[in-house]
Amino acid sequence: GAGVSQSPSNKVTEKGKDVELRCDPISGHTALYWYRQSLGQGLEFLIYFQGNSAPDKSGLPSDRFSAERTGGSVSTLTIQRTQQEDSAVYLCASSFSANQPQHFGDGTRLSIL
Amino acid sequence: GDSVTQMEGPVTLSEEACLTINCTYTATGYPSLFWYVQYPGEGLQLLLKATKADDKGSNKGFEATYRKETTSFHLEKGSVQVSDSAVYFCALSDPGNTGNQFYFGTGTSLTVIP
């Protein structure tokens, strides 16, 4: 299909380990967003990429979180030294351009033991 | 700053009942407003949108009208079906004021029983 693809769909890891989450946006979409969805909470904005511009990192909760987008396409979200409070569903979305409706992937469910 | 407040759930309705999920927003600019739906086990999908005051978004029998005077964008459907069971998120985008961010509500879970 041509939708947003995220991998892995589920990740279980021990506290203190690093994890890397991947997002393949829809081809041609220049905008890419990462969100975190915790149980019973709304979507928490993490980071935004638009074309070749510097990313908007204002939503990253700590310096353990980082993200990159290579070649304006695939993005990886890295969480270092994971903590139990990092357990959540991490959602990626892409859009044709800023302010346009976003297309979401199915998310990665991250569980920190 | 910008924010979205939506009706807390969960909401349980019988099939063919009327649905209203309230959503109000705070924005200093001229936002676009959206409803997203998340069906069980799936990602979020855009349900409908409205980009300016008095616009009505509609899709799959759902409607929402952008009311600037009451800063609201309530989601309505006249007759719900079991297949409408999902979590519904209200969202806004206000690029003239807050740039790239979308603001989402906390979601309202709807269960429709036969």
Side-chain angles (χ1 to χ4, degrees):
Chain A
V4 176
S5 176
Q6 291 187 245
S7 61
S9 55
N10 284 283
K11 177 71 176 178
V12 180
T13 193
E14 293 180 347
K15 176 182 172 182
K17 300 287 189 183
D18 297 351
V19 295
E20 199 170 88
L21 312 180
R22 177 186 168 102
C23 173
D24 279 277
I26 293 173
S27 178
H29 280 193
T30 61
L32 187 147
Y33 300 75
W34 282 100
Y35 296 90
R36 179 167 67 177
Q37 185 179 23
S38 302
L39 189 63
Q41 303 295 313
L43 273 68
E44 176 188 6
F45 167 79
L46 297 177
I47 189 168
Y48 164 80
F49 296 89
Q50 172 63 52
N52 296 321
S53 302
D56 177 353
K57 304 179 181 180
S58 59
L60 293 179
S62 77
D63 59 8
R64 296 186 296 105
F65 287 73
S66 62
E68 63 177 24
R69 187 178 185 191
T70 53
S73 182
V74 172
S75 177
T76 54
L77 176 70
T78 301
I79 309 173
Q80 296 178 308
R81 306 181 302 281
T82 52
Q83 304 295 313
Q84 288 189 328
E85 61 263 29
D86 299 335
S87 296
V89 176
Y90 289 82
L91 293 169
C92 176
S94 70
S95 63
F96 184 72
S97 62
N99 196 35
Q100 295 300 306
Q102 298 174 26
H103 299 259
F104 283 81
D106 289 341
T108 294
R109 183 174 297 279
L110 177 64
S111 300
I112 309 300
L113 303 178
Chain B
D2 289 16
S3 66
V4 172
T5 302
Q6 66 180 98
M7 171 178 151
E8 289 190 17
V11 175
T12 302
L13 294 174
S14 296
E15 204 165 22
E16 299 183 2
C18 284
L19 169 71
T20 299
I21 300 178
N22 290 335
C23 172
T24 57
Y25 66 90
T26 301
T28 55
Y30 300 91
S32 295
L33 302 172
F34 307 84
W35 276 100
Y36 283 82
V37 58
Q38 186 175 30
Y39 297 105
E42 299 183 15
L44 275 76
Q45 305 172 25
L46 177 67
L47 180 60
L48 52 84
K49 68 173 183 177
T51 58
K52 62 183 187 297
D54 299 325
D55 268 3
K56 177 185 284 187
S58 61
N59 186 24
K60 299 182 180 180
F62 290 88
E63 293 183 340
T65 301
Y66 187 158
R67 302 281 189 203
K68 191 169 176 64
E69 63 275 15
T70 53
T71 61
S72 66
F73 193 55
H74 303 324
L75 182 67
E76 299 176 325
K77 187 172 185 181
S79 176
V80 294
Q81 305 300 313
V82 172
S83 57
D84 295 326
S85 297
V87 181
Y88 293 82
F89 293 88
C90 186
L92 77 80
S93 171
D94 186 13
N97 182 51
T98 55
N100 311 314
Q101 290 199 30
F102 273 63
Y103 295 86
F104 285 83
T106 54
T108 301
S109 174
L110 170 67
T111 301
V112 180
I113 55 177

